[in-house]
Amino acid sequence: MTTIASEPVTHAIATPRRKFPRLSGTVLSWLQAAPLAAVLGVFLALPILMIVVVSFWDYDFARMYPAFVLTNYVEALGSWVTWKTYLNTLKFAVMVWAITLVVGFWIAYFLAFHVRTAAVQMVLFLVCTVPFLTSNIIRMISWIPVLGRNGIVNSALMKTGLVSAPIEGLLYSDFAVVLAMVHLYALFMVTPIFNTLMRIDRSLIEAARDAGASARQVLTDVVIPLAKPGMAIGSIFVVTLVMADFSTVQVMSGGQSASVALMMKNQMSLLQYPAAAANAVVLLVLVLVMVAAMLRIVDIRKEL
């Protein structure tokens, strides 16, 4: 008789898995953005909201009174002196923006297309950032012995016989203000333009040259249109920094020029916080309008 041995059959016992609720893509996106939104809300949106609220308060020589009055805005927008101050600030912003745009573009163009190796590019770019190792105040004040009545420039001009007397308009003038601001903020234009130029596909330039385009046509028809996002970002940086600068205007003009930021600083020193808040709101709206106009002309989303 043949017996067939039967092996015991073991059945695996399946352990139930705990099911977690799956978050939808929208909820997950909101959770990821929540920390940044909280930081921006606490440190950006809330202070701006407080400035807007305070701009409607009343005040006297000693304290502020919670209220809802339009006096601060009437005084800010109804005075010709205030309008002249805003126009003077816009003048500084336009002049510094135009100079830094030209200077910054050519520096970035040289670094991107005329310097062959990445190591040399990095070294030259770091050389441009060396002045930023010191504070803005020190770099600004360093122009005083250069532009002063007995400074380096006047001494050199008199020794060469080009002038018979020192030039008075070099220091404590609008020229000194613009020169110092260009020195302070030029790198904010160089960096985004350089970043944009380094992203340009070199095959496009070679194709333009093979098609018979001259160096000028390559620059105007290929390089500059592709560099517009970086130029727009640099313009936003420079314009916002110039509009908010008061120390450069105060020191380099010798108190002879005014800006909106300097006016707000003087109002705060006199404890006129609601008036300063009203001017801050007007200045913020003006800057946002200028930035919105730039963004309407140039799409910078590719750079962000």
Side-chain angles (χ1 to χ4, degrees):
M1 178 181 292
T2 303
T3 60
I4 300 175
S6 61
E7 297 181 355
V9 179
T10 59
H11 297 279
I13 301 176
T15 58
R17 295 182 179 180
R18 182 178 298 176
K19 296 183 178 180
F20 294 96
R22 301 188 65 178
L23 299 177
S24 62
T26 304
V27 176
L28 187 59
S29 300
W30 278 104
L31 291 177
Q32 291 175 343
L36 179 59
V39 172
L40 292 178
V42 173
F43 296 103
L44 180 64
L46 185 60
I48 292 177
L49 179 61
M50 291 301 299
I51 291 174
V52 174
V53 172
V54 172
S55 67
F56 292 100
W57 287 8
D58 199 1
Y59 68 96
D60 56 19
F61 67 94
R63 55 178 295 185
M64 299 181 298
Y65 302 96
F68 185 82
V69 295
L70 300 176
T71 306
N72 301 315
Y73 287 97
V74 172
E75 293 178 353
L77 300 177
S79 173
W80 175 242
V81 176
T82 305
W83 280 104
K84 289 181 62 176
T85 304
Y86 275 90
L87 292 175
N88 199 52
T89 305
L90 288 174
K91 179 187 69 176
F92 287 143
V94 171
M95 294 177 65
V96 174
W97 166 77
I99 297 173
T100 54
L101 180 62
V102 175
V103 174
F105 177 82
W106 287 115
I107 294 175
Y109 183 83
F110 173 79
L111 292 176
F113 292 103
H114 291 279
V115 179
R116 300 300 180 183
T117 61
V120 178
Q121 286 178 343
M122 184 61 62
V123 170
L124 292 177
F125 187 78
L126 290 177
V127 169
C128 294
T129 62
V130 167
F132 282 80
L133 298 178
T134 59
S135 66
N136 286 5
I137 302 297
I138 295 176
R139 287 185 288 143
M140 174 184 59
I141 295 177
S142 65
W143 283 103
I144 294 179
V146 177
L147 303 176
R149 179 179 176 84
N150 298 319
I152 298 175
V153 175
N154 275 322
S155 299
L157 292 176
M158 293 182 65
K159 286 182 179 179
T160 56
L162 296 177
V163 295
S164 58
I167 301 176
E168 300 290 344
L170 293 180
L171 186 61
Y172 302 139
S173 61
D174 290 349
F175 168 78
V177 174
V178 173
L179 180 62
M181 286 184 174
V182 169
H183 175 213
L184 293 176
Y185 305 132
L187 191 63
F188 290 95
M189 186 70 75
V190 174
T191 303
I193 296 178
F194 175 73
N195 182 51
T196 304
L197 294 180
M198 290 300 295
R199 295 185 180 185
I200 295 178
D201 190 356
R202 298 303 189 267
S203 61
L204 297 176
I205 299 177
E206 295 298 331
R209 290 173 179 171
D210 294 340
S214 62
R216 180 181 177 181
Q217 290 175 329
V218 171
L219 178 64
T220 57
D221 297 339
V222 179
V223 177
I224 292 180
L226 295 177
K228 285 182 179 180
M231 296 165 68
I233 295 174
S235 299
I236 293 173
F237 286 156
V238 171
V239 169
T240 53
L241 289 170
V242 171
M243 298 286 282
D245 193 342
F246 68 90
S247 59
T248 305
V249 178
Q250 184 177 16
V251 175
M252 299 306 295
S253 70
Q256 301 181 38
S257 293
S259 67
V260 180
L262 181 58
M263 179 175 62
M264 289 189 294
K265 181 252 186 185
N266 294 332
Q267 288 174 335
M268 288 187 291
S269 64
L270 297 174
L271 303 180
Q272 299 175 358
Y273 293 108
N279 281 298
V281 172
V282 175
L283 182 62
L284 177 62
V285 172
L286 180 61
V287 172
L288 290 178
V289 169
M290 297 173 66
V291 171
M294 296 180 191
L295 297 181
R296 292 281 294 179
I297 298 174
V298 180
D299 186 8
I300 66 173
R301 288 177 293 180
K302 297 180 181 179
E303 295 294 317
L304 300 178

